[in-house]
Amino acid sequence: MGWLFFGDALDPSVRLRLAVPLLNFERHSPIIPGVAYALFGLVVVVMGTSNAVNLTDGLDGLAIGPVIACTFTYMLLSYAAGQTLAGFNIAHYLGMAHVRGAGELTVFCGAIVGASIGFLWYNTHPAQVFMGDVGALALGGAIGFVALATKTELSLPVIAGVFVVEFSLTSSRLAITKPPRAHLLDGAYSPSL
């Protein structure tokens, strides 16, 4: 995270500016102090996304579908944020932040999409592979990092809406009951101890 905010990964004119969705980045992007922006990026974006994906995965392992959708969306956004085709800057045309080198994240997101589709093949009934906490936390952290690296962190709640809804429902019921979708498993079988 330090490399992203305090190193030379992002252009200094883009590094500490917050990209507000649906507004032109060049005209409407507030500047945030470096430490506050790094804490926001680390705690809210990366850790929040990571835990939201983990809570969505829960007992039934349904996080991989929304992960595919989010990562495919970020694959398109990272290509748009980082590529210039024949002198045509896609990011400036769309009003996004142009992030030098963000086009390389397209390959990273494509690899996650492909691996997730491969995971689905072996996770169908009877499941041979399970994601678990390690996979869910890593995929959530990857989505959060790509959101920060492409300067689309405020668009993340819209792109990852399933995770936001699941996180809010689960965290509001955390001490009271089980996760929202776990009641579906009650009708399928009743485990006996």
mmCIF file with all atom_site columns, all heavy atoms in Angstrom, residues 151-164:
data_model
loop_
_atom_site.group_PDB
_atom_site.id
_atom_site.type_symbol
_atom_site.label_atom_id
_atom_site.label_alt_id
_atom_site.label_comp_id
_atom_site.label_asym_id
_atom_site.label_entity_id
_atom_site.label_seq_id
_atom_site.pdbx_PDB_ins_code
_atom_site.Cartn_x
_atom_site.Cartn_y
_atom_site.Cartn_z
_atom_site.occupancy
_atom_site.B_iso_or_equiv
_atom_site.pdbx_formal_charge
_atom_site.auth_seq_id
_atom_site.auth_comp_id
_atom_site.auth_asym_id
_atom_site.auth_atom_id
_atom_site.pdbx_PDB_model_num
ATOM 1   N N   . LYS A 1 151 ? -8.011  3.897   -9.373  1.00 0.00 ? 151 LYS A N   1
ATOM 2   C CA  . LYS A 1 151 ? -8.677  5.113   -8.887  1.00 0.00 ? 151 LYS A CA  1
ATOM 3   C C   . LYS A 1 151 ? -10.194 5.041   -9.041  1.00 0.00 ? 151 LYS A C   1
ATOM 4   O O   . LYS A 1 151 ? -10.847 6.016   -9.377  1.00 0.00 ? 151 LYS A O   1
ATOM 5   C CB  . LYS A 1 151 ? -8.143  6.362   -9.600  1.00 0.00 ? 151 LYS A CB  1
ATOM 6   C CG  . LYS A 1 151 ? -6.656  6.578   -9.517  1.00 0.00 ? 151 LYS A CG  1
ATOM 7   C CD  . LYS A 1 151 ? -6.185  6.734   -8.119  1.00 0.00 ? 151 LYS A CD  1
ATOM 8   C CE  . LYS A 1 151 ? -6.604  8.054   -7.543  1.00 0.00 ? 151 LYS A CE  1
ATOM 9   N NZ  . LYS A 1 151 ? -6.211  8.236   -6.158  1.00 0.00 ? 151 LYS A NZ  1
ATOM 10  N N   . THR A 1 152 ? -10.765 3.870   -8.790  1.00 0.00 ? 152 THR A N   1
ATOM 11  C CA  . THR A 1 152 ? -12.219 3.705   -8.842  1.00 0.00 ? 152 THR A CA  1
ATOM 12  C C   . THR A 1 152 ? -12.757 3.182   -7.515  1.00 0.00 ? 152 THR A C   1
ATOM 13  O O   . THR A 1 152 ? -13.718 2.419   -7.482  1.00 0.00 ? 152 THR A O   1
ATOM 14  C CB  . THR A 1 152 ? -12.605 2.735   -9.984  1.00 0.00 ? 152 THR A CB  1
ATOM 15  O OG1 . THR A 1 152 ? -11.898 1.512   -9.808  1.00 0.00 ? 152 THR A OG1 1
ATOM 16  C CG2 . THR A 1 152 ? -12.311 3.321   -11.337 1.00 0.00 ? 152 THR A CG2 1
ATOM 17  N N   . GLU A 1 153 ? -12.127 3.608   -6.423  1.00 0.00 ? 153 GLU A N   1
ATOM 18  C CA  . GLU A 1 153 ? -12.515 3.079   -5.115  1.00 0.00 ? 153 GLU A CA  1
ATOM 19  C C   . GLU A 1 153 ? -13.898 3.520   -4.672  1.00 0.00 ? 153 GLU A C   1
ATOM 20  O O   . GLU A 1 153 ? -14.555 2.805   -3.921  1.00 0.00 ? 153 GLU A O   1
ATOM 21  C CB  . GLU A 1 153 ? -11.477 3.437   -4.051  1.00 0.00 ? 153 GLU A CB  1
ATOM 22  C CG  . GLU A 1 153 ? -11.220 4.898   -3.879  1.00 0.00 ? 153 GLU A CG  1
ATOM 23  C CD  . GLU A 1 153 ? -10.133 5.435   -4.792  1.00 0.00 ? 153 GLU A CD  1
ATOM 24  O OE1 . GLU A 1 153 ? -9.411  4.671   -5.420  1.00 0.00 ? 153 GLU A OE1 1
ATOM 25  O OE2 . GLU A 1 153 ? -10.030 6.670   -4.862  1.00 0.00 ? 153 GLU A OE2 1
ATOM 26  N N   . LEU A 1 154 ? -14.371 4.669   -5.119  1.00 0.00 ? 154 LEU A N   1
ATOM 27  C CA  . LEU A 1 154 ? -15.723 5.093   -4.742  1.00 0.00 ? 154 LEU A CA  1
ATOM 28  C C   . LEU A 1 154 ? -16.789 4.424   -5.599  1.00 0.00 ? 154 LEU A C   1
ATOM 29  O O   . LEU A 1 154 ? -17.967 4.455   -5.247  1.00 0.00 ? 154 LEU A O   1
ATOM 30  C CB  . LEU A 1 154 ? -15.853 6.613   -4.836  1.00 0.00 ? 154 LEU A CB  1
ATOM 31  C CG  . LEU A 1 154 ? -15.068 7.416   -3.796  1.00 0.00 ? 154 LEU A CG  1
ATOM 32  C CD1 . LEU A 1 154 ? -15.336 8.897   -3.950  1.00 0.00 ? 154 LEU A CD1 1
ATOM 33  C CD2 . LEU A 1 154 ? -15.399 6.962   -2.396  1.00 0.00 ? 154 LEU A CD2 1
ATOM 34  N N   . SER A 1 155 ? -16.392 3.807   -6.705  1.00 0.00 ? 155 SER A N   1
ATOM 35  C CA  . SER A 1 155 ? -17.323 3.022   -7.519  1.00 0.00 ? 155 SER A CA  1
ATOM 36  C C   . SER A 1 155 ? -17.452 1.601   -7.005  1.00 0.00 ? 155 SER A C   1
ATOM 37  O O   . SER A 1 155 ? -18.340 0.867   -7.444  1.00 0.00 ? 155 SER A O   1
ATOM 38  C CB  . SER A 1 155 ? -16.853 2.986   -8.973  1.00 0.00 ? 155 SER A CB  1
ATOM 39  O OG  . SER A 1 155 ? -16.791 4.274   -9.505  1.00 0.00 ? 155 SER A OG  1
ATOM 40  N N   . LEU A 1 156 ? -16.588 1.207   -6.102  1.00 0.00 ? 156 LEU A N   1
ATOM 41  C CA  . LEU A 1 156 ? -16.582 -0.165  -5.591  1.00 0.00 ? 156 LEU A CA  1
ATOM 42  C C   . LEU A 1 156 ? -17.902 -0.587  -4.940  1.00 0.00 ? 156 LEU A C   1
ATOM 43  O O   . LEU A 1 156 ? -18.362 -1.703  -5.180  1.00 0.00 ? 156 LEU A O   1
ATOM 44  C CB  . LEU A 1 156 ? -15.410 -0.358  -4.632  1.00 0.00 ? 156 LEU A CB  1
ATOM 45  C CG  . LEU A 1 156 ? -15.205 -1.752  -4.067  1.00 0.00 ? 156 LEU A CG  1
ATOM 46  C CD1 . LEU A 1 156 ? -14.859 -2.731  -5.174  1.00 0.00 ? 156 LEU A CD1 1
ATOM 47  C CD2 . LEU A 1 156 ? -14.091 -1.742  -3.030  1.00 0.00 ? 156 LEU A CD2 1
ATOM 48  N N   . PRO A 1 157 ? -18.573 0.251   -4.143  1.00 0.00 ? 157 PRO A N   1
ATOM 49  C CA  . PRO A 1 157 ? -19.853 -0.196  -3.576  1.00 0.00 ? 157 PRO A CA  1
ATOM 50  C C   . PRO A 1 157 ? -20.917 -0.497  -4.628  1.00 0.00 ? 157 PRO A C   1
ATOM 51  O O   . PRO A 1 157 ? -21.793 -1.317  -4.395  1.00 0.00 ? 157 PRO A O   1
ATOM 52  C CB  . PRO A 1 157 ? -20.286 0.974   -2.688  1.00 0.00 ? 157 PRO A CB  1
ATOM 53  C CG  . PRO A 1 157 ? -19.032 1.674   -2.348  1.00 0.00 ? 157 PRO A CG  1
ATOM 54  C CD  . PRO A 1 157 ? -18.139 1.522   -3.547  1.00 0.00 ? 157 PRO A CD  1
ATOM 55  N N   . VAL A 1 158 ? -20.838 0.136   -5.778  1.00 0.00 ? 158 VAL A N   1
ATOM 56  C CA  . VAL A 1 158 ? -21.793 -0.145  -6.850  1.00 0.00 ? 158 VAL A CA  1
ATOM 57  C C   . VAL A 1 158 ? -21.388 -1.418  -7.589  1.00 0.00 ? 158 VAL A C   1
ATOM 58  O O   . VAL A 1 158 ? -22.217 -2.287  -7.860  1.00 0.00 ? 158 VAL A O   1
ATOM 59  C CB  . VAL A 1 158 ? -21.891 1.047   -7.830  1.00 0.00 ? 158 VAL A CB  1
ATOM 60  C CG1 . VAL A 1 158 ? -22.787 0.720   -9.007  1.00 0.00 ? 158 VAL A CG1 1
ATOM 61  C CG2 . VAL A 1 158 ? -22.378 2.276   -7.107  1.00 0.00 ? 158 VAL A CG2 1
ATOM 62  N N   . ILE A 1 159 ? -20.104 -1.532  -7.910  1.00 0.00 ? 159 ILE A N   1
ATOM 63  C CA  . ILE A 1 159 ? -19.611 -2.695  -8.645  1.00 0.00 ? 159 ILE A CA  1
ATOM 64  C C   . ILE A 1 159 ? -19.725 -3.955  -7.799  1.00 0.00 ? 159 ILE A C   1
ATOM 65  O O   . ILE A 1 159 ? -20.100 -5.019  -8.295  1.00 0.00 ? 159 ILE A O   1
ATOM 66  C CB  . ILE A 1 159 ? -18.160 -2.453  -9.101  1.00 0.00 ? 159 ILE A CB  1
ATOM 67  C CG1 . ILE A 1 159 ? -18.125 -1.302  -10.109 1.00 0.00 ? 159 ILE A CG1 1
ATOM 68  C CG2 . ILE A 1 159 ? -17.548 -3.710  -9.702  1.00 0.00 ? 159 ILE A CG2 1
ATOM 69  C CD1 . ILE A 1 159 ? -16.735 -0.817  -10.439 1.00 0.00 ? 159 ILE A CD1 1
ATOM 70  N N   . ALA A 1 160 ? -19.418 -3.855  -6.536  1.00 0.00 ? 160 ALA A N   1
ATOM 71  C CA  . ALA A 1 160 ? -19.479 -5.000  -5.627  1.00 0.00 ? 160 ALA A CA  1
ATOM 72  C C   . ALA A 1 160 ? -20.693 -4.882  -4.715  1.00 0.00 ? 160 ALA A C   1
ATOM 73  O O   . ALA A 1 160 ? -20.609 -5.113  -3.511  1.00 0.00 ? 160 ALA A O   1
ATOM 74  C CB  . ALA A 1 160 ? -18.195 -5.074  -4.812  1.00 0.00 ? 160 ALA A CB  1
ATOM 75  N N   . GLY A 1 161 ? -21.835 -4.553  -5.277  1.00 0.00 ? 161 GLY A N   1
ATOM 76  C CA  . GLY A 1 161 ? -23.040 -4.334  -4.490  1.00 0.00 ? 161 GLY A CA  1
ATOM 77  C C   . GLY A 1 161 ? -23.489 -5.548  -3.703  1.00 0.00 ? 161 GLY A C   1
ATOM 78  O O   . GLY A 1 161 ? -24.000 -5.414  -2.590  1.00 0.00 ? 161 GLY A O   1
ATOM 79  N N   . VAL A 1 162 ? -23.299 -6.748  -4.260  1.00 0.00 ? 162 VAL A N   1
ATOM 80  C CA  . VAL A 1 162 ? -23.687 -7.967  -3.546  1.00 0.00 ? 162 VAL A CA  1
ATOM 81  C C   . VAL A 1 162 ? -22.896 -8.085  -2.246  1.00 0.00 ? 162 VAL A C   1
ATOM 82  O O   . VAL A 1 162 ? -23.447 -8.426  -1.199  1.00 0.00 ? 162 VAL A O   1
ATOM 83  C CB  . VAL A 1 162 ? -23.464 -9.206  -4.436  1.00 0.00 ? 162 VAL A CB  1
ATOM 84  C CG1 . VAL A 1 162 ? -23.670 -10.484 -3.652  1.00 0.00 ? 162 VAL A CG1 1
ATOM 85  C CG2 . VAL A 1 162 ? -24.376 -9.156  -5.633  1.00 0.00 ? 162 VAL A CG2 1
ATOM 86  N N   . PHE A 1 163 ? -21.605 -7.780  -2.316  1.00 0.00 ? 163 PHE A N   1
ATOM 87  C CA  . PHE A 1 163 ? -20.765 -7.874  -1.125  1.00 0.00 ? 163 PHE A CA  1
ATOM 88  C C   . PHE A 1 163 ? -21.153 -6.832  -0.090  1.00 0.00 ? 163 PHE A C   1
ATOM 89  O O   . PHE A 1 163 ? -21.133 -7.098  1.111   1.00 0.00 ? 163 PHE A O   1
ATOM 90  C CB  . PHE A 1 163 ? -19.291 -7.732  -1.491  1.00 0.00 ? 163 PHE A CB  1
ATOM 91  C CG  . PHE A 1 163 ? -18.811 -8.755  -2.470  1.00 0.00 ? 163 PHE A CG  1
ATOM 92  C CD1 . PHE A 1 163 ? -18.116 -8.383  -3.597  1.00 0.00 ? 163 PHE A CD1 1
ATOM 93  C CD2 . PHE A 1 163 ? -19.056 -10.105 -2.264  1.00 0.00 ? 163 PHE A CD2 1
ATOM 94  C CE1 . PHE A 1 163 ? -17.669 -9.321  -4.498  1.00 0.00 ? 163 PHE A CE1 1
ATOM 95  C CE2 . PHE A 1 163 ? -18.626 -11.051 -3.159  1.00 0.00 ? 163 PHE A CE2 1
ATOM 96  C CZ  . PHE A 1 163 ? -17.925 -10.665 -4.277  1.00 0.00 ? 163 PHE A CZ  1
ATOM 97  N N   . VAL A 1 164 ? -21.503 -5.629  -0.545  1.00 0.00 ? 164 VAL A N   1
ATOM 98  C CA  . VAL A 1 164 ? -21.896 -4.565  0.380   1.00 0.00 ? 164 VAL A CA  1
ATOM 99  C C   . VAL A 1 164 ? -23.190 -4.931  1.100   1.00 0.00 ? 164 VAL A C   1
ATOM 100 O O   . VAL A 1 164 ? -23.303 -4.789  2.321   1.00 0.00 ? 164 VAL A O   1
ATOM 101 C CB  . VAL A 1 164 ? -22.036 -3.224  -0.367  1.00 0.00 ? 164 VAL A CB  1
ATOM 102 C CG1 . VAL A 1 164 ? -22.627 -2.153  0.526   1.00 0.00 ? 164 VAL A CG1 1
ATOM 103 C CG2 . VAL A 1 164 ? -20.702 -2.778  -0.925  1.00 0.00 ? 164 VAL A CG2 1
#
